[in-house]
Amino acid sequence: QVQLVESGGGSVQPGGSLRLSCAASGSIASINAMGWYRQTPGKQRDLVARITSGGSTVYADSVKGRFTISSDNAKNTVYLQMNSLKPEDTAVYFCKADKPTRWGTTIIYWGQGTQVTVSS
């Protein structure tokens, strides 16, 4: 099992910044990618940013140039630095970890989510 604990959410004015953290613990060996997703009421959970164990990153078009995903392997933690926040960034942000199995499948783990509210 893998446990993911997010922190760093909160309320901020438009144009402000927040940094989310996701600390992984448990059976974290072989995790090959982690990412941040966000969800608003009544909508699906969408990718925000993803980083592989090799350091490759992917971003949603809506956050490119404003958000940066990074990882600290020594701390087993992934970060999402969010700058120039907009009201439309308001959502619950979830951390996700992908762990391939020896049978060719991937186990997906989710954190509990952290609320980000951007409002004046």
Side-chain angles (χ1 to χ4, degrees):
Q1 287 288 341
V2 173
Q3 293 79 43
L4 303 174
V5 178
E6 301 114 330
S7 60
S11 296
V12 65
Q13 293 186 339
S17 298
L18 285 173
R19 189 176 82 154
L20 305 183
S21 299
C22 174
S25 62
S27 301
I28 60 174
S30 301
I31 289 176
N32 66 354
M34 294 184 69
W36 289 95
Y37 288 68
R38 64 187 181 188
Q39 187 173 25
T40 55
K43 296 192 175 181
Q44 68 180 22
R45 195 172 295 184
D46 292 327
L47 172 71
V48 176
R50 183 176 184 265
I51 187 166
T52 69
S53 56
S56 297
T57 58
V58 174
Y59 294 92
D61 288 342
S62 59
V63 307
K64 283 181 181 177
R66 300 188 298 124
F67 291 11
T68 302
I69 189 169
S70 62
S71 62
D72 184 334
N73 293 333
K75 296 182 179 180
N76 300 319
T77 300
V78 171
Y79 304 97
L80 184 68
Q81 178 66 44
M82 306 186 293
N83 299 328
S84 303
L85 282 160
K86 305 175 181 180
E88 50 264 43
D89 294 318
T90 296
V92 178
Y93 284 69
F94 295 89
C95 179
K96 173 178 172 278
D98 299 339
K99 184 172 180 176
T101 71
R102 68 182 73 178
W103 301 283
T105 59
T106 298
I107 301 175
I108 295 174
Y109 297 92
W110 291 99
Q112 80 284 358
T114 185
Q115 177 71 45
V116 171
T117 301
V118 184
S119 174
S120 56

